[in-house]
């Protein structure tokens, strides 16, 4: 991983790939590398879809090694949705394979010439880039049908669907899973549109002949690897809870805690929660011959995913995650898992972020475009987005834009990005993360839900303002560091509770790179990444006024606890103050 | 006096038949209810009483709703 592959899409005669040394970026991976490159090389006043923006795709520091859970990949740029810096994180096979081929990152840069769409092919033997008129307006599953034969055995595809091609603020970069399906997405912030603006439709990776990466100290790495796996297997969440029910086990928990945003964040409990819960979902999947335990990439031992099949036993989509089930379910008043699975499939196919899309439909429902609870109407709306009708283009521009177009105050967004599946009034720690993360409203940036609700890594009362700023700050720093390693964030449940498992992760890094990191060093590493991101956002015009929730969360109480968001502005400013 | 009992995820098989009107004695605690339901030691790491996280020594009142969850996570 000492090479950055730079693809100049403006080169004479078509995009040209040049391998360059990592140079000053050495020691950075994943989100650390994407944020460093964007903060250093992209002018903060660049238009997100203009020639000065760059799309950076980077596996993590431990991706491509034998360490379990290390296959995550980061996609970074200036976000078309937020106007700030963005790192969107995904699973799938591509992270491991790119790392094995020796790439620390792929950077798409320069000014697109003409409107041809290109397919990039990367293998041990080098890089080829060809214009391919047949991929125009292809969806992700259509791209899979076209290219699966090329990448199914030893490769992966990174691609954009129609959403990215049309430049939507809501558009993903898809990554194929172990079956070669485009089910894993760098979802948030419109990264797909930036790839589309560079005229690159798909990147096909073939890692045939590439070897697993070799650590500086193989013995120490092996020992750390063993402790790492043992730690994950012995923790009840990573060892049992997540494999059995997947992330959607949260529907019942968050509903019980009164923090499940329902009908565009109007109330904190959904009467149909049990019908769309992880328990019901797992039962349905198994009864129909799907699967409730499955990994998104080789080397994942937690396996929070699954396979959703219809009543005839035919594949529909991967097991919709909690965030998706919430966004298209409770938040739209929809209590039908088949409808939710269909929406998940459409989102993956067009390349849409499920959180943003669900939040947008809920706003449209509040505006009267469709009725809450009407699943068929929701499906039709997503089809409009995929087709690019005028209404579809409005919805594809995201939740904040849709609310503006329809004159709705209730846009549950921070920095233009929709809030995920936890109401910040009833889970105040996550509200602090939504407000202050450089990414816009993002639960993964500092998952205070763990401590507020799940009582992992401590216990802070979700309904009180006290202690939330400190909690969010520490989690945001730790998360930035984890996002640099290529490790799936779900390892945090074990790492937060078990000091020896945290140590195993540090040992993996030290053994691989010959470093001497300690806990303080990890925190400093995370802080450095956040500093890059905050600095970029400041130069892009963000101030403390952007580190706030929309006013109505302070004014309108949420049932059943009848709470408002009352973490003070001073406390919010203390997170990075 | 009765309460509503909800057992989630891997605890679901412990859900009593009379979950909607589960009788309790005056002064009965959450811990006692867990004993009666045969929730294994450490099996319920999350306990909600009327949507608020509570400890096993909480005394229950008529009409309360109690939810039990095993250790779990997601995101
Ligand atoms: S735990 Fe889930 S999201 Fe994480 S790597 Fe495994 S399957 Fe992917």
């Amino acid at each position: 991983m000492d090479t950055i592959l730079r693809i100049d899409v403006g080169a004479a005669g078509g995009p040209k790939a040049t391998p360059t040394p990592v140079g000053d970026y050495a020691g950075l991976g994943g989100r650390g590398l994407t944020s460093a490159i964007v903060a250093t090389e992209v002018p903060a006043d660049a238009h997100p879809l203009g020639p000065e923006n760059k799309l950076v795709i980077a596996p993590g520091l431990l991706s491509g090694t034998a360490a379990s859970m290390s296959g995550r990949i980061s996609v970074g740029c200036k976000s078309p949705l937020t106007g700030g810096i963005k790192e969107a994180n995904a699973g799938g096979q591509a992270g491991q394979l790119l790392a094995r081929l020796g790439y620390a990152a792929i950077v798409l840069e320069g000014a697109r010439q003409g409107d041809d769409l290109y397919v990039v092919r990367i293998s041990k033997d080098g890089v080829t880039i060809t214009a391919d008129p047949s991929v125009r307006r292809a969806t992700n599953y259509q791209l899979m049908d076209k290219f699966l034969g090329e990448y199914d055995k030893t490769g992966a595809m990174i691609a954009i669907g129609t959403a990215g091609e049309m430049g939507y603020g809501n558009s993903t970069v898809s990554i194929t899973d172990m079956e070669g399906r485009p089910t894993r997405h760098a979802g948030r912030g419109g990264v797909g549109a930036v790839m589309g603006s560079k005229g690159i439709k798909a990147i096909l990776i073939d890692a045939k002949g590439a070897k697993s990466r070799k650590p500086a100290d193989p013995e120490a790495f092996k020992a750390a690897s063993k402790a790492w796996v043992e730690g994950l297997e012995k923790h009840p969440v990573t060892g049992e809870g997540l494999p059995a029910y997947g992330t959607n086990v949260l529907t019942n928990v968050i509903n019980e805690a009164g923090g499940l945003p329902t009908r565009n964040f109007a109330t904190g409990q959904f009467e149909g929660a049990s019908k769309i819960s992880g328990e019901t979902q797992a039962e349905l999947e198994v009864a129909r011959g799907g699967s409730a335990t499955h990994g998104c990439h080789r080397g994942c031992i937690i396996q929070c995913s699954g396979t959703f099949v219809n009543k005839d036993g035919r594949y529909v989509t991967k097991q919709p995650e909690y965030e998706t089930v919430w966004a298209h379910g409770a938040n739209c008043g929809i209590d039908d898992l088949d409808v939710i699975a269909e929406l998940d499939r459409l989102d993956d196919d067009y390349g849409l972020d499920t959180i943003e899309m669900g939040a947008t439909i809920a706003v449209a429902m509040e505006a009267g475009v469709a009725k809450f609870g009407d699943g068929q109407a929701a499906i039709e709306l997503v089809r409009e987005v995929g087709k690019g009708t005028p209404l579809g283009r409005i919805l594809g521009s995201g939740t904040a834009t849709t609310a503006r177009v329809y004159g709705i105050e209730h846009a549950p967004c921070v920095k233009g990005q929709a809030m995920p599946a936890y109401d910040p009034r009833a889970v105040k720690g996550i509200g602090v993360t939504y407000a202050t993360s450089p990414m816009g409203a993002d639960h993964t940036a500092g998952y205070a839900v763990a401590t507020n609700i799940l009582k992992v890594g401590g216990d802070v009362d979700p309904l009180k303002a006290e202690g939330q700023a400190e909690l969010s700050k520490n989690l945001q720093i730790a998360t930035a560091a984890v996002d640099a390693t290529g490790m799936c964030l779900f390892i945090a449940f074990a790492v937060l509770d078990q000091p020896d498992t945290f140590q195993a992760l540090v040992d993996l890094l030290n053994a691989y790179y010959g470093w001497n990191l300690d806990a303080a060093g990890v925190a400093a590493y995370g802080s450095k990444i956040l500093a890059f991101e905050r600095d970029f956002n400041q130069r892009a015009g963000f101030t403390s006024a952007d580190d706030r929730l929309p006013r109505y969360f302070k004014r309108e109480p949420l049932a059943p606890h009848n709470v408002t968001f009352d973490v003070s502005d001073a406390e919010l400013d203390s997170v990075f103050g | 006096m009765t309460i509503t009992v909800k057992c989630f995820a891997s605890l679901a098989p412990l859900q009593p038949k009379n979950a909607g009107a589960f009788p309790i004695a005056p002064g009965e605690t959450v811990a006692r209810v867990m004993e009666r339901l045969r929730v294994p030691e450490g099996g319920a790491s999350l306990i909600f009483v009327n949507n608020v996280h509570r400890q096993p020594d909480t005394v229950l009142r008529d009409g309360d709703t109690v939810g039990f969850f095993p250790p779990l996570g997601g995101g």
Side-chain angles (χ1 to χ4, degrees), chain A residues 236-237 242 245 247 249-250 252-253 256-257 269 279 321 323 422 443 447 453-455 490 493 561, chain B residues 6 8-12 45-46 48 50-53 55 65-67 69-75:
Chain A
V237 172
L242 278 168
Y245 297 107
T247 58
V249 74
L250 289 181
N252 276 330
V253 189
E256 204 55 27
Q269 285 187 311
E279 290 92 325
E321 285 185 65
E323 303 296 332
Y422 316 87
H443 62 298
Y447 193 62
I453 305 287
L454 306 171
K455 310 304 174 192
F490 293 149
F493 292 105
H561 295 299
Chain B
K6 299 189 205 169
F8 293 102
S10 56
L11 300 177
S45 65
L46 287 177
F48 290 93
N50 303 330
N51 309 117
V52 179
H53 183 253
Q55 298 303 322
T65 296
V66 188
F69 290 92
L72 40 81

Side-chain angles (χ1 to χ4, degrees), chain A residues 69 72 294-297 300 302-305 488 490:
Chain A
M69 312 299 306
R72 306 284 301 189
H294 196 67
C296 72
H297 72 274
C300 165
I302 298 178
Q303 302 203 319
C304 77
S305 194
C488 171
F490 293 149

